[in-house]
Short mmCIF file of all heavy atoms in Angstrom, two decimals:
data_model
loop_
_atom_site.label_atom_id
_atom_site.label_comp_id
_atom_site.label_asym_id
_atom_site.label_seq_id
_atom_site.Cartn_x
_atom_site.Cartn_y
_atom_site.Cartn_z
N PRO A 94 161.31 126.81 115.68
CA PRO A 94 162.21 126.29 114.65
C PRO A 94 163.65 126.25 115.18
O PRO A 94 164.09 127.16 115.88
CB PRO A 94 162.08 127.30 113.51
CG PRO A 94 160.79 127.99 113.75
CD PRO A 94 160.61 128.02 115.25
N LEU A 95 164.36 125.17 114.85
CA LEU A 95 165.75 125.02 115.28
C LEU A 95 166.74 125.17 114.12
O LEU A 95 167.94 125.17 114.35
CB LEU A 95 165.96 123.66 115.95
CG LEU A 95 165.18 123.42 117.24
CD1 LEU A 95 165.40 122.00 117.72
CD2 LEU A 95 165.59 124.42 118.30
N SER A 96 166.22 125.27 112.91
CA SER A 96 167.09 125.41 111.74
C SER A 96 166.28 126.12 110.65
O SER A 96 165.06 126.22 110.75
CB SER A 96 167.57 124.03 111.27
OG SER A 96 166.48 123.22 110.88
N PRO A 97 166.96 126.59 109.62
CA PRO A 97 166.24 127.25 108.52
C PRO A 97 165.40 126.24 107.73
O PRO A 97 165.73 125.05 107.67
CB PRO A 97 167.35 127.82 107.63
CG PRO A 97 168.60 127.74 108.43
CD PRO A 97 168.41 126.67 109.44
N LEU A 98 164.33 126.72 107.13
CA LEU A 98 163.52 125.88 106.25
C LEU A 98 164.31 125.53 105.01
O LEU A 98 165.09 126.34 104.49
CB LEU A 98 162.24 126.60 105.85
CG LEU A 98 161.17 126.73 106.92
CD1 LEU A 98 160.11 127.74 106.51
CD2 LEU A 98 160.53 125.38 107.21
N THR A 99 164.10 124.31 104.52
CA THR A 99 164.71 123.86 103.27
C THR A 99 163.67 123.05 102.52
O THR A 99 162.74 122.50 103.13
CB THR A 99 165.99 123.03 103.53
OG1 THR A 99 166.63 122.75 102.29
CG2 THR A 99 165.69 121.73 104.23
N GLY A 100 163.80 122.97 101.21
CA GLY A 100 162.86 122.18 100.42
C GLY A 100 162.90 120.72 100.84
O GLY A 100 163.99 120.17 101.07
N LEU A 101 161.75 120.10 100.94
CA LEU A 101 161.69 118.69 101.35
C LEU A 101 162.54 117.83 100.43
O LEU A 101 163.22 116.91 100.88
CB LEU A 101 160.24 118.20 101.36
CG LEU A 101 160.01 116.78 101.85
CD1 LEU A 101 160.36 116.66 103.33
CD2 LEU A 101 158.57 116.34 101.62
N ASN A 102 162.53 118.14 99.15
CA ASN A 102 163.30 117.34 98.20
C ASN A 102 164.76 117.76 98.10
O ASN A 102 165.53 117.16 97.37
CB ASN A 102 162.64 117.37 96.83
CG ASN A 102 161.32 116.62 96.84
OD1 ASN A 102 161.14 115.68 97.61
ND2 ASN A 102 160.38 117.06 96.04
N ASP A 103 165.14 118.80 98.85
CA ASP A 103 166.54 119.23 98.87
C ASP A 103 167.35 118.52 99.94
O ASP A 103 168.57 118.67 99.98
CB ASP A 103 166.64 120.75 99.09
CG ASP A 103 166.06 121.52 97.92
OD1 ASP A 103 166.00 120.98 96.80
OD2 ASP A 103 165.64 122.67 98.15
N ILE A 104 166.66 117.78 100.83
CA ILE A 104 167.40 117.04 101.84
C ILE A 104 167.93 115.76 101.21
O ILE A 104 167.38 115.27 100.22
CB ILE A 104 166.56 116.76 103.11
CG1 ILE A 104 165.29 115.99 102.78
CG2 ILE A 104 166.22 118.04 103.82
CD1 ILE A 104 164.47 115.61 103.99
N LEU A 105 169.00 115.25 101.76
CA LEU A 105 169.61 114.05 101.20
C LEU A 105 168.65 112.87 101.29
O LEU A 105 167.83 112.80 102.19
CB LEU A 105 170.90 113.72 101.98
CG LEU A 105 171.99 114.77 101.89
CD1 LEU A 105 173.15 114.40 102.82
CD2 LEU A 105 172.48 114.92 100.47
N PRO A 106 168.79 111.93 100.36
CA PRO A 106 167.95 110.73 100.46
C PRO A 106 168.15 110.09 101.83
O PRO A 106 169.25 110.06 102.36
CB PRO A 106 168.48 109.82 99.36
CG PRO A 106 169.18 110.73 98.40
CD PRO A 106 169.69 111.88 99.23
N ILE A 107 167.07 109.60 102.38
CA ILE A 107 167.11 109.07 103.73
C ILE A 107 166.88 107.58 103.69
O ILE A 107 165.86 107.12 103.20
CB ILE A 107 166.03 109.75 104.59
CG1 ILE A 107 166.32 111.24 104.66
CG2 ILE A 107 165.96 109.14 105.96
CD1 ILE A 107 165.25 112.03 105.34
N GLU A 108 167.84 106.84 104.19
CA GLU A 108 167.70 105.40 104.26
C GLU A 108 168.29 104.90 105.57
O GLU A 108 169.33 105.37 106.01
CB GLU A 108 168.42 104.73 103.10
CG GLU A 108 167.83 105.10 101.76
CD GLU A 108 168.48 104.33 100.62
OE1 GLU A 108 169.04 103.26 100.87
OE2 GLU A 108 168.43 104.83 99.50
N GLY A 109 167.61 103.93 106.13
CA GLY A 109 168.12 103.24 107.31
C GLY A 109 168.62 104.16 108.40
O GLY A 109 168.00 105.15 108.74
N ASN A 110 169.79 103.86 108.94
CA ASN A 110 170.33 104.62 110.05
C ASN A 110 170.82 106.00 109.65
O ASN A 110 171.04 106.85 110.51
CB ASN A 110 171.44 103.84 110.74
CG ASN A 110 170.89 102.65 111.49
OD1 ASN A 110 169.73 102.65 111.89
ND2 ASN A 110 171.70 101.62 111.65
N ALA A 111 170.98 106.26 108.35
CA ALA A 111 171.39 107.59 107.90
C ALA A 111 170.31 108.62 108.22
O ALA A 111 170.56 109.80 108.20
CB ALA A 111 171.68 107.58 106.40
N LEU A 112 169.11 108.14 108.51
CA LEU A 112 167.99 109.01 108.84
C LEU A 112 168.23 109.76 110.14
O LEU A 112 167.80 110.89 110.31
CB LEU A 112 166.73 108.17 108.95
CG LEU A 112 165.46 108.84 109.40
CD1 LEU A 112 165.03 109.86 108.37
CD2 LEU A 112 164.38 107.82 109.59
N VAL A 113 168.89 109.11 111.06
CA VAL A 113 169.07 109.68 112.40
C VAL A 113 170.30 110.57 112.40
O VAL A 113 171.40 110.11 112.10
CB VAL A 113 169.22 108.57 113.45
CG1 VAL A 113 169.41 109.16 114.83
CG2 VAL A 113 168.03 107.65 113.42
#
Side-chain angles (χ1 to χ4, degrees):
L95 296 175
S96 62
L98 287 166
T99 187
L101 184 66
N102 292 330
D103 294 336
I104 58 176
L105 297 174
I107 298 174
E108 296 185 24
N110 290 334
L112 175 65
V113 180

